[in-house]
Amino acid sequence: MSDAIAFIDLAAQQDCLRDKIEPAIARALAHVGYIIGPEVKQFEADMAAFAGGGETQVVSNASGTDAPALPLMACGLKPGDAVFCPAFTSAATAEVVAWLGAVPYFVEIDEQTFNMDPGSLKQAIAECARSDLTPRAVIAVDLFGQAADYEAIRVICDENNLKLISDAVQGFGATVNGKQSIEWADFVSTSFFPAKPLSCSGDGGATLTRDEETADIMRSLRVNDKGTHKYNTVRIGMNGRLDTIQAAILVEKPAVFADEIDRRNAIADRYTEALGDILDVPRVPEGYVSTWAQYTLKMKVGAREDFAAALKDAGVPTAFYCPKPLNHQTTYENFPVAANGLPVSEELSQRILSLPMHPYLAEGV
Ligand SMILES: Cc1ncc(COP(=O)(O)O)c(C=O)c1O
């Protein structure tokens, strides 16, 4: 049987916003300001307002991969430096560290939240101090839409003079006691890849910070460091701009984003109500609001394949996220790992299964 419902239904959102998005694209085509045009600037301002306004600077860019690379480049990350991050995440999280010749140092996750375990982070920092590496930064990931334990991680970063990057690609808009990760992180990175909660119709990303000076450096780096003087670059940059036509689409999204997060939470509640007594469903800690990029169950070892097959027959698609933690992937297998092993990441990689999740998943499906 073919899938009766979509895992993520991009067309449903498009149907709701078509009367706004199509004229917005037409306007961008007409004014021909294709590179960092007015919609890019408008979207950066709207996004800063969504993230609480005030001092927040938004540097839009080309992807959720470029988004953490820009602050690491701006801070001068170099060979011999270490950046602590989970292995239970997209390769993009660690990739940007390796790009710059630095070392991703893999940290364990918490079994309940799937996010960085602060105890393991402390242990990794202590181990790193006994090596030749210089600890420089932490990248905490908001996996499946739930914010990492930023309060605890910020304290550890302060104690060890480390920059904190929030990889909020899946969790941009998630809150802890009403606050977004920018309240704790030096930098927040996000992606507008179509499957992400706040998305465009192609690739895009953004980096948020309250550090105006570093924001200016990142604005220069994203245009091959042409910021100060086009023919006298002082840093190695990249071409990492957000496309104006994607920005024209994105400008229409903040108005519906808060409502979409509410809708995702209502769907997660329905799943939890229906499944909570029979399956190991995700639990959101008190005070946290997730953006539910994924609704992810923990199955018994060996049980998820049959369960997924049965759901597929019933027209319900599923996904196994992160089936191989990064420390077991060829590129990253020789990088250091906290306590020489990540048993929780390894076990969960074999046990988790995600159900369809998007804001327009109809009742009764
Ligand atoms: C946690 C996380 N970080 C970074 C990325 C990279 O984002 P992009 O595909 O926009 O480069 C992804 C993409 O799936 C991700 O899930």
Side-chain angles (χ1 to χ4, degrees):
M1 179 179 172
S2 64
D3 293 341
I5 61 172
F7 189 70
I8 295 175
D9 190 348
L10 298 177
Q13 190 204 48
Q14 208 185 103
D15 287 346
C16 295
L17 292 176
R18 178 163 293 116
D19 62 338
K20 294 198 166 61
I21 287 176
E22 288 184 354
I25 294 172
R27 280 194 298 275
L29 283 174
H31 69 51
V32 300
Y34 300 143
I35 302 297
I36 315 200
E39 288 82 357
V40 172
K41 289 172 191 143
Q42 176 67 50
F43 177 64
E44 288 180 342
D46 294 349
M47 213 179 160
F50 184 89
E55 308 287 294
T56 304
Q57 307 268 319
V58 175
V59 181
S60 63
N61 45 62
S63 69
T65 305
D66 288 353
L70 285 168
L72 292 174
M73 291 163 83
C75 293
L77 194 77
K78 58 183 187 316
D81 291 342
V83 177
F84 304 93
C85 65
F88 199 70
T89 178
S90 158
T93 305
E95 187 175 40
V96 297
V97 177
W99 269 4
L100 301 171
V103 168
Y105 203 121
F106 294 117
V107 172
E108 186 59 291
I109 53 166
D110 175 86
E111 197 189 342
Q112 290 306 319
T113 63
F114 306 108
N115 284 334
M116 180 178 275
D117 172 356
S120 173
L121 172 62
K122 274 190 185 173
Q123 175 160 6
I125 294 168
E127 289 168 6
C128 187
R130 296 192 289 273
S131 76
D132 293 341
L133 298 168
T134 307
R136 290 292 304 280
V138 172
I139 305 179
V141 178
D142 299 346
L143 204 71
F144 304 144
Q146 186 170 308
D149 185 353
Y150 287 109
E151 238 166 86
I153 295 170
R154 180 73 256 174
V155 171
I156 298 169
C157 287
D158 287 344
E159 285 168 357
N160 293 279
N161 195 24
L162 303 175
K163 293 285 182 200
L164 174 56
I165 298 178
S166 156
D167 177 338
V169 161
Q170 300 188 21
F172 181 72
T175 53
V176 184
N177 296 322
K179 295 175 184 167
Q180 297 180 37
S181 61
I182 188 72
E183 295 292 333
W184 293 278
D186 299 292
F187 305 98
V188 175
S189 61
T190 195
S191 163
F192 308 123
F193 181 80
K196 304 306 174 203
L198 180 59
S199 66
C200 61
S201 302
D203 279 309
T207 313
L208 288 75
T209 184
R210 290 178 176 168
D211 172 349
E212 202 177 335
E213 202 181 318
T214 311
D216 283 341
I217 297 173
M218 293 193 291
R219 284 191 189 98
S220 177
L221 288 171
R222 77 175 167 183
V223 289
N224 312 97
D225 202 43
K226 284 178 186 165
T228 324
H229 191 292
K230 192 172 172 178
Y231 295 111
N232 185 23
T233 59
V234 292
R235 295 182 178 83
I236 296 172
M238 60 160 83
N239 176 355
R241 295 176 288 244
L242 176 67
D243 188 89
T244 296
I245 291 179
Q246 294 303 339
I249 294 167
L250 280 163
V251 162
E252 303 305 327
K253 302 284 179 95
V256 294
F257 189 45
D259 176 57
E260 288 189 348
I261 295 175
D262 289 347
R263 285 166 171 263
R264 287 173 181 271
N265 274 279
I267 291 158
D269 289 347
R270 270 167 50 211
Y271 272 142
T272 299
E273 209 173 299
L275 303 173
D277 291 340
I278 44 174
L279 290 168
D280 196 345
V281 295
R283 304 283 174 194
V284 180
E286 185 74 31
Y288 283 62
V289 176
S290 175
T291 58
W292 295 106
Q294 308 278 343
Y295 185 92
T296 301
L297 303 169
K298 286 192 287 243
M299 308 295 297
K300 291 201 169 73
V301 176
R304 69 177 178 180
E305 285 73 16
D306 286 349
F307 187 65
L311 286 177
K312 189 172 181 221
D313 286 346
V316 180
T318 57
F320 301 159
Y321 186 82
C322 198
K324 214 176 196 192
L326 297 179
N327 57 313
H328 289 298
Q329 298 186 21
T330 310
T331 317
Y332 300 104
E333 63 192 2
N334 294 321
F335 287 111
V337 165
N340 285 321
L342 305 176
V344 177
S345 304
E346 272 146 42
E347 192 193 316
L348 289 179
S349 71
Q350 301 307 304
R351 287 182 52 200
I352 60 167
L353 173 147
S354 301
L355 295 175
M357 173 53 86
H358 62 86
Y360 304 97
L361 196 58
E363 282 245 10
V365 169

